[in-house]
Amino acid sequence: GENVEQHPSTLSVQEGDSAVIKCTYSDSASNYFPWYKQELGKRPQLIIDIRSNVGEKKDQQIAVTLNKTAKHFSLHITETQPEDSAVYFCAAALRDNFNKFYFGSGTKLNVKP
Amino acid sequence: GAVVSQHPSRVICKSGTSVKIECRSLDFQATTMFWYRQFPKKSLMLMATSNEGSKATYEQGVEKDKFLINHASLTLSTLTVTSAHPEDSSFYICSARDPSSSYNEQFFGPGTRLTVL
């Protein structure tokens, strides 16, 4: 099955700095890559996603890049704010396989004011 | 966005008892729901895919007789932890796909904290 690895496990940045989280996947057939944000005690919320036919996608302060050849994708958060502090999960999914998500291990982001 | 609810939010039970957790899609019909298990400070581990009107498909290593899943309607899936033991204590989260929503997005429930004494 699919194996998703995520790094780093924890990340501390100063407010206003950028944060980058990286993920790799093993199944070349995976074609959908969402990123979820989970605040303490709350449910995961989708923040951005990318499909395999796109190399980069941006939504305000967040962007995601995908390298299909290398099977890795990254989340970039610019101008971080304290409210960006949370655990971020990447996932890989295969559209035809009931859209099952396989999640990375998560990155705890701490934005220091 | 679409709303998914879970009930109960917390449950404490004695070892050997069974516990049922409900997952509901409130404003859409979900032909497919997913059940995850999350250990403290760990990732979401996919347990099984619940399909309306058919048997659930379980991920490798997940005991189907231990974790019974029923998806009797387009808005309800249930997970029953049978003969629960302390090692089953965990945070269980369901998610659902809204077929009318964007590509593959899954909407998550708020989770159920299970503690087995």
Side-chain angles (χ1 to χ4, degrees):
Chain A
E2 176 65 278
N3 181 42
V4 180
E5 296 192 356
Q6 183 171 348
H7 300 280
S9 57
T10 58
L11 180 59
S12 285
V13 299
Q14 285 294 138
E15 182 177 357
D17 287 350
S18 296
V20 180
I21 303 171
K22 298 182 179 182
C23 290
T24 61
Y25 61 100
S26 61
D27 190 343
S28 57
S30 291
N31 57 10
Y32 175 68
F33 307 91
W35 286 87
Y36 281 81
K37 176 183 180 181
Q38 187 177 30
E39 296 178 24
L40 190 62
K42 296 188 176 181
R43 73 188 78 194
Q45 300 272 13
L46 178 72
I47 55 170
I48 196 168
D49 56 11
I50 190 168
R51 306 178 196 180
S52 60
N53 59 347
V54 176
E56 184 174 356
K57 183 177 178 181
K58 192 172 182 180
D59 183 3
Q60 297 181 328
Q61 66 165 149
I62 58 174
V64 59
T65 59
L66 171 65
N67 183 325
K68 286 172 54 181
T69 303
K71 290 189 283 189
H72 67 68
F73 54 114
S74 301
L75 177 71
H76 303 253
I77 306 174
T78 59
E79 299 177 20
T80 54
Q81 301 293 317
E83 51 266 33
D84 294 326
S85 297
V87 179
Y88 291 81
F89 293 100
C90 63
L94 179 60
R95 175 70 174 91
D96 295 334
N97 192 16
F98 295 105
N99 310 302
K100 293 198 290 186
F101 286 8
Y102 294 94
F103 283 88
S105 52
T107 297
K108 184 174 181 180
L109 175 64
N110 179 33
V111 181
K112 295 178 281 188
Chain B
V3 181
V4 176
S5 69
Q6 260 181 264
H7 179 80
S9 57
R10 286 178 188 273
V11 57
I12 300 173
C13 68
K14 292 182 179 180
S15 186
T17 60
S18 294
V19 175
K20 180 185 282 188
I21 302 170
E22 293 185 347
C23 177
R24 293 182 186 272
S25 55
L26 298 185
D27 51 0
F28 66 100
Q29 293 185 329
T31 53
T32 304
M33 292 183 173
F34 304 89
W35 287 96
Y36 297 85
R37 182 171 179 176
Q38 187 174 32
F39 293 98
K41 299 182 180 180
K42 295 291 184 182
S43 186
L44 295 141
M45 184 192 77
L46 179 64
M47 298 175 65
T49 303
S50 173
N51 300 297
E52 187 268 336
S54 63
K55 289 183 178 180
T57 55
Y58 291 81
E59 294 299 298
Q60 192 172 9
V62 178
E63 299 176 60
K64 61 181 181 181
D65 295 330
K66 173 76 172 175
F67 300 99
L68 300 179
I69 292 172
N70 185 283
H71 194 151
S73 77
L74 286 171
T75 59
L76 173 64
S77 175
T78 60
L79 168 68
T80 301
V81 183
T82 62
S83 187
H85 290 283
E87 56 265 31
D88 298 324
S89 298
S90 192
F91 193 58
Y92 293 88
I93 306 181
C94 70
S95 72
R97 256 191 5 101
D98 178 0
S100 66
S101 183
S102 66
Y103 201 49
N104 286 12
E105 184 175 359
Q106 288 184 21
F107 297 92
F108 284 84
T112 297
R113 172 78 58 195
L114 170 63
T115 303
V116 184
L117 303 176

